[in-house]
Amino acid sequence: MFRKISAFLVATLFVAMSLSGSAVANAKTKEAESVRNPINIAILIQDDLISRVGNELSVTKDFIRALPEGSRVMVGYITTGTLQVRQPFTTDLNRAANSLRIPIASTSASAFNPYVEVIEAMKKFDSSWRGQKAVLLISDGLDTSRGFDATAAGQTLDIDRTISEANRRDISIYSFYAPSVGLTSHNQLAASYGQSSLNRVSHDTGGKAFFQGTNGFVTFDSYFDRLRRELNRTS
């Protein structure tokens, strides 16, 4: 009996130590994935994205609230060809997070071209600010302002202008792909076009594009994990 009790205690102690070690490892992993340095970031959301994007508000708020003290955040929506600024740049991270709303998810809010509004958003950065400057564009990336031409993916005039403006202002553009309620939700060629455009804009400005195939997305969790690592790598 004594041997059985001793064996049980040893096993219990081993499990406890394993769980403790796992918790410490998880904490270290979580800490390693936090953005280390203050950042100036504009978060732009295309307003006609599918309704499932609304389910990702909580993880987006968590990302904002976990930014280092001294970070500046702007929140804007790209809707019907205009930039709706919900929250101008602020160091109040909780206020910025609370300004997020569910996208309209209707063709009535279609942007036709998200890149013109990205340029408008970049004009709101102060050139005197120190630290990393970035845009997070949550969009389907599709530019239909001059019609839908799949051969022009990533090569439109406004995409060129966006890249030029971002590089001039030293702003990196990161992008999360999500389909809109329009073409990219049911047309694989359109989805590929949008992703190619986002990929070029991000790559040519020192950022990175994140997407999970042309059939949509599961969650923004993995996007934000990878974004934090990228921001730390380039800071």
Side-chain angles (χ1 to χ4, degrees):
M1 175 67 73
F2 177 76
R3 288 181 178 178
K4 289 183 178 179
I5 293 175
S6 298
F8 174 76
L9 290 174
V10 169
T12 302
L13 180 60
F14 177 79
V15 170
M17 291 175 66
S18 297
L19 290 174
S20 176
S22 177
V24 170
N26 288 339
K28 287 182 178 179
T29 300
K30 185 175 182 181
E31 182 180 356
E33 291 177 350
S34 298
V35 177
R36 290 192 293 265
N37 298 316
I39 186 172
N40 309 295
I41 186 167
I43 298 176
L44 309 179
I45 302 172
Q46 192 172 309
D47 225 356
D48 64 337
L49 299 180
I50 60 174
S51 59
R52 284 179 59 194
V53 173
N55 298 332
E56 305 305 310
L57 284 185
S58 61
V59 70
T60 307
K61 289 180 178 182
D62 290 344
F63 169 77
I64 294 173
R65 291 184 176 125
L67 290 172
E69 183 178 353
S71 295
R72 298 181 181 87
V73 178
M74 183 182 91
V75 173
Y77 285 75
I78 298 171
T79 181
T80 58
T82 60
L83 175 65
Q84 181 191 90
V85 177
R86 291 273 296 178
Q87 175 58 58
F89 275 107
T90 179
T91 56
D92 186 336
L93 302 181
N94 193 55
R95 183 175 179 179
N98 288 337
S99 70
L100 288 168
R101 62 164 173 78
I102 296 173
I104 294 173
S106 167
T107 54
S108 65
S110 293
F112 304 110
N113 180 354
Y115 303 105
V116 171
E117 278 63 61
V118 173
I119 293 172
E120 286 303 306
M122 289 191 291
K123 293 177 181 178
K124 301 182 183 299
F125 283 79
D126 190 325
S127 60
S128 68
W129 288 343
R130 300 183 63 181
Q132 194 172 7
K133 297 191 287 290
V135 166
L136 172 57
L137 173 62
I138 302 175
S139 168
D140 70 351
L142 193 62
D143 178 357
T144 59
S145 59
R146 296 172 178 83
F148 176 49
D149 178 7
T151 64
Q155 304 296 328
T156 68
L157 176 63
D158 289 321
I159 287 176
D160 290 341
R161 290 177 56 227
T162 300
I163 293 169
S164 177
E165 186 72 11
N167 288 331
R168 186 176 73 82
R169 295 176 180 271
D170 195 25
I171 298 172
S172 298
I173 300 176
Y174 297 86
S175 53
F176 289 0
Y177 170 80
S180 71
V181 296
L183 275 175
T184 50
S185 62
H186 57 80
N187 185 312
Q188 198 166 32
L189 185 60
S192 179
Y193 176 114
Q195 290 179 356
S196 294
S197 298
L198 292 175
N199 194 55
R200 186 190 167 214
V201 167
S202 293
H203 178 271
D204 288 5
T205 61
K208 196 171 183 65
F210 304 100
F211 42 86
Q212 300 172 351
T214 56
N215 294 324
F217 69 97
V218 178
T219 173
F220 283 165
D221 282 308
S222 63
Y223 291 179
F224 277 116
D225 286 343
R226 293 159 64 192
L227 175 61
R228 292 184 188 98
R229 290 196 292 269
E230 285 296 320
L231 291 173
N232 286 336
R233 184 182 65 83
T234 57
S235 62

